[in-house]
Amino acid sequence: MAEIAISGLEPHSSVDWPGELVAVLFCQGCPWACRYCHNTALIPAGPGTIPWDQVADLLSRRRGLLDGVVISGGEPTLQKGLADALREIRAMGFRTGLHTGGPYPARLAEVLPLLDWVGFDVKAPFDAYDRITGAPGSGAKARDSLILLRDSGVAFDLRTTVHPALLGPADLARMDADLAALALPPSRRQPFRAAGCADQALCDVACP
């Protein structure tokens, strides 16, 4: 049985892995505190609220109905049991996806061979990550993780949440230049979502 802290479960989603119908598991805990986060209840580390046997039971009943399973968060690579969970999911016959910001390159390297797709959140230019994540050195970790992802051969989607108070046109241009220097494409922009965000100052700003 996988030791992984799950605090949310979406039985079916058509938006968390483009083109695939999936279940989504939301892990508890994240080392970063991005101001625009809309899953703030998942940031504190903890044991999770949904036991793995309950997750496994639901997935076993959805064989043939889903294309795959996405592990999201929080930050899934915080979980020491992530690789075991992915192995169990694949053994059930599901394709596997992961949402990550890349704070733990070593664990990402461990699980990449177990993945079919990765949705990677690119936060900012690498030298400006700290003001988004609140974590010193986070840009270097993300860069290392992106290099691993690039070299893995695993399909991926790079996306960036854009709030005008945090990222302006010049920031986005520098970010895309950072990605180009790694032979990676520009990230796909996604708008800030006020629902679930605990930073009222950001919610009060009119977003395009």
Side-chain angles (χ1 to χ4, degrees):
M1 182 180 298
E3 294 185 12
I4 183 170
I6 303 292
S7 289
L9 173 58
E10 175 56 57
H12 55 272
S13 167
S14 60
V15 298
D16 286 276
W17 181 346
E20 306 288 334
L21 182 63
V22 299
V24 187
L25 312 180
F26 295 92
C27 295
Q28 184 69 45
C30 182
W32 295 348
C34 301
R35 288 182 59 192
Y36 53 65
C37 180
H38 62 271
N39 281 334
T40 51
L42 296 176
I43 291 178
T49 59
I50 302 175
W52 179 254
D53 57 357
Q54 181 178 329
V55 173
D57 179 65
L58 180 140
L59 293 180
S60 68
R61 289 184 282 107
R62 299 191 70 79
R63 288 172 173 159
L65 302 176
L66 299 172
D67 300 310
V69 178
V70 172
I71 303 187
S72 188
E75 172 50 54
T77 59
L78 176 67
Q79 304 295 322
K80 293 180 180 179
L82 178 60
D84 288 338
L86 289 167
R87 290 188 188 98
E88 290 195 32
I89 291 167
R90 292 175 76 86
M92 295 181 199
F94 295 106
R95 300 175 72 218
T96 51
L98 181 77
H99 290 171
T100 185
Y104 299 106
R107 185 154 296 135
L108 180 63
E110 177 189 10
V111 301
L112 277 169
L114 302 170
L115 293 168
D116 297 292
W117 174 84
V118 173
F120 195 104
D121 293 313
V122 183
K123 306 293 186 180
F126 295 132
D127 64 3
Y129 253 66
D130 297 12
R131 64 180 167 86
I132 303 293
T133 66
S138 51
K141 297 289 182 64
R143 184 181 186 278
D144 290 346
S145 291
L146 280 165
I147 292 170
L148 290 167
L149 178 59
R150 178 199 66 190
D151 294 345
S152 70
V154 176
F156 61 83
D157 175 37
L158 307 182
R159 64 274 182 101
T160 299
T161 297
V162 178
H163 189 293
L166 299 176
L167 292 175
D171 296 310
L172 295 173
R174 286 200 302 121
M175 182 183 68
D176 286 346
D178 283 351
L179 293 172
L182 299 180
L184 290 168
S187 64
R188 176 173 56 86
R189 312 317 195 214
Q190 56 188 23
F192 163 76
R193 291 165 51 188
C197 176
D199 191 318
Q200 192 58 46
L202 293 185
C203 296
D204 289 342
V205 173
C207 299

